[in-house]
Amino acid sequence: MYKVMIVDDEPLFRDYLRLKMDWQRHGFRVCCEARNGQEALLEAEKHQPHLALVDINMPFMDGIELAVKLKERFERIVIVFISGHNEFEYLQKAVRTGVQDYLLKPFNEEEMSAMLARIRPKLPQLPREREADKEGAEGNRPVSPAGQEAPDLSSIRDVIVLGLRMKDADILEEVRKAIRQLRGCKWGDEYADAMMMGLVSLVLTFAGERGFSYSRVWDSEGDKPPFERLKACGSWDGAEEWLTALYRRVIQLTEDVKPTKASNLFAAAIHYIEQHYADADLSAEQVAGGVYVDPSYLRRVFRKESGYSIVDHITHIRMKKARALLLEGNRKLADISESVGYADPNYFSKSFKKRFGVTPTEYEQLVRK
């Protein structure tokens, strides 16, 4: 399996990039991440990635300088630039530094998949025997010391990241759901601890991005490290109470921030989507018309305020509503599909599985157990 290094100074974008793609399905796995060029060189030495996804604009060392240094040290590494700058000057420099491809933010999973297909012929051929062994080992979920299969929280983490950025009120239930899945592990299990710290890291990263100091996030003992706070909970019940309180506090801090013209427009767009998500023809253009602004301007505002596109949020709302309808039971799949804006039930099922990892029918079976 090919190893991928993600280099971007935005923590939530690194999370987004790592969680949004089904890397294993494409024959890749994320082996390391870095916040800047200096860290990337150290991580590359340790992990020897085959593919580096590099943001052009970063502190200390920009992506172009990093690409030159990576090519000097790792001749066969494939480099792909990721940037919000669609400028010919950057493309020219990228070609001169041996960069093989370029992705312009915002991009979707289809564009990402197409890029992976384009660069695959440029990757070194992996030994079949060793690669088969790796895929066999990494294709299974981790197993806890007690012997049970450990839960995979990647889809829930993805929803939590979206929820934080989109100011989704249901995010606390997603946090509780993640902890419910982890309760199958023994308290203190190493894998479960890592998953819990991942949830802590998500909310602290979001708080830091919004400019909130630790002293505002913690209710007491501001100098105590997060892992010590987690272990002090002593049980899954205590951990759930502490972690949901942490998320609730950060959400409250976000709500207390004085609104700007952009944030008011963002809120109006979200409200419009909430009112019209059942419309199968709902689009970014329609949302922009509903809040009386130019579509291009709204797209920029929405991306800046949330980190995601308008279409991402429409899908997010539709999937959340669909899951609620499935929990009610006694509804035909075609009815639910139409109720959340999908004219084609098959396409709805594919979208649902892409978001939650199971089909609507499988989800119904799981919640009935």
Side-chain angles (χ1 to χ4, degrees), residues 80-305:
V80 173
F81 272 160
I82 297 175
S83 177
H85 295 267
N86 188 16
E87 299 177 5
F88 186 63
E89 177 187 354
Y90 281 96
L91 290 172
Q92 285 182 312
K93 290 183 179 179
V95 171
R96 289 200 295 269
T97 54
V99 170
Q100 277 80 8
D101 216 314
Y102 186 96
L103 279 174
L104 177 66
K105 297 178 184 176
F107 53 84
N108 56 32
E109 186 173 353
E110 287 71 27
E111 291 169 316
M112 188 75 178
S113 299
M115 180 276 292
L116 293 177
R118 288 195 301 270
I119 59 97
R120 185 177 287 275
K122 301 168 186 174
L123 292 165
Q125 188 169 2
L126 298 172
R128 289 192 176 185
E129 297 81 8
R130 287 171 52 201
E131 185 61 17
D133 290 342
K134 283 184 182 179
E135 291 187 18
E138 294 167 2
N140 299 320
R141 289 182 183 177
V143 176
S144 74
Q148 71 266 32
E149 188 181 77
D152 180 3
L153 300 185
S154 59
S155 61
I156 294 180
R157 283 170 56 91
D158 193 10
V159 173
I160 289 173
V161 171
L162 276 167
L164 282 169
R165 301 301 296 264
M166 301 297 186
K167 301 181 174 72
D168 190 335
D170 291 341
I171 189 173
L172 295 181
E173 182 53 37
E174 297 296 337
V175 175
R176 294 188 187 98
K177 184 193 303 178
I179 297 172
R180 282 199 297 271
Q181 290 196 23
L182 290 171
R183 283 175 181 265
C185 300
K186 183 180 178 181
W187 175 255
D189 175 273
E190 183 177 348
Y191 176 80
D193 282 349
M195 292 297 98
M196 286 285 287
M197 285 306 299
L199 296 174
V200 174
S201 176
L202 281 183
V203 72
L204 292 183
T205 297
F206 176 76
E209 185 187 60
R210 288 295 188 271
F212 304 134
S213 64
Y214 268 21
S215 61
R216 296 183 69 190
V217 171
W218 303 122
D219 52 353
S220 61
E221 301 177 288
D223 59 342
K224 194 173 184 180
F227 186 69
E228 289 185 18
R229 292 170 179 271
L230 174 62
K231 298 308 290 181
C233 295
S235 68
W236 285 115
D237 287 343
E240 180 174 339
E241 182 180 352
W242 174 74
L243 193 55
T244 52
L246 176 60
Y247 270 79
R248 189 180 294 110
R249 194 173 303 116
V250 171
I251 292 168
Q252 184 62 53
L253 286 171
T254 305
E255 292 173 349
D256 290 343
V257 173
K258 186 177 180 180
T260 62
K261 181 180 177 181
S263 66
N264 285 333
L265 177 60
F266 175 68
I270 287 179
H271 179 71
Y272 186 91
I273 293 169
E274 286 275 2
Q275 299 299 311
H276 298 86
Y277 67 88
D279 181 355
D281 295 323
L282 184 62
S283 63
E285 287 73 20
Q286 183 179 329
V287 176
V291 295
Y292 310 106
V293 295
D294 177 73
S296 298
Y297 175 64
L298 182 61
R299 285 190 179 95
R300 290 196 300 272
V301 169
F302 210 96
R303 175 66 66 174
K304 183 178 180 182
E305 289 292 310

Side-chain angles (χ1 to χ4, degrees), residues 9 34-41 56-66 69:
D9 61 329
R35 295 173 296 179
N36 54 58
Q38 294 173 350
E39 282 189 5
L41 291 175
I56 289 181
N57 292 294
M58 296 182 295
F60 308 118
M61 181 191 303
D62 67 21
I64 294 173
E65 184 181 354
L66 172 61
K69 292 182 181 296

Side-chain angles (χ1 to χ4, degrees), residues 297-331:
Y297 175 64
L298 182 61
R299 285 190 179 95
R300 290 196 300 272
V301 169
F302 210 96
R303 175 66 66 174
K304 183 178 180 182
E305 289 292 310
S306 71
Y308 295 93
S309 70
I310 298 171
V311 173
D312 280 337
H313 189 61
I314 293 172
T315 303
H316 175 66
I317 293 298
R318 285 172 169 170
M319 291 297 104
K320 187 178 74 169
K321 301 293 185 182
R323 190 173 60 183
L325 291 173
L326 286 166
L327 288 172
E328 292 176 4
N330 301 319
R331 292 283 300 270

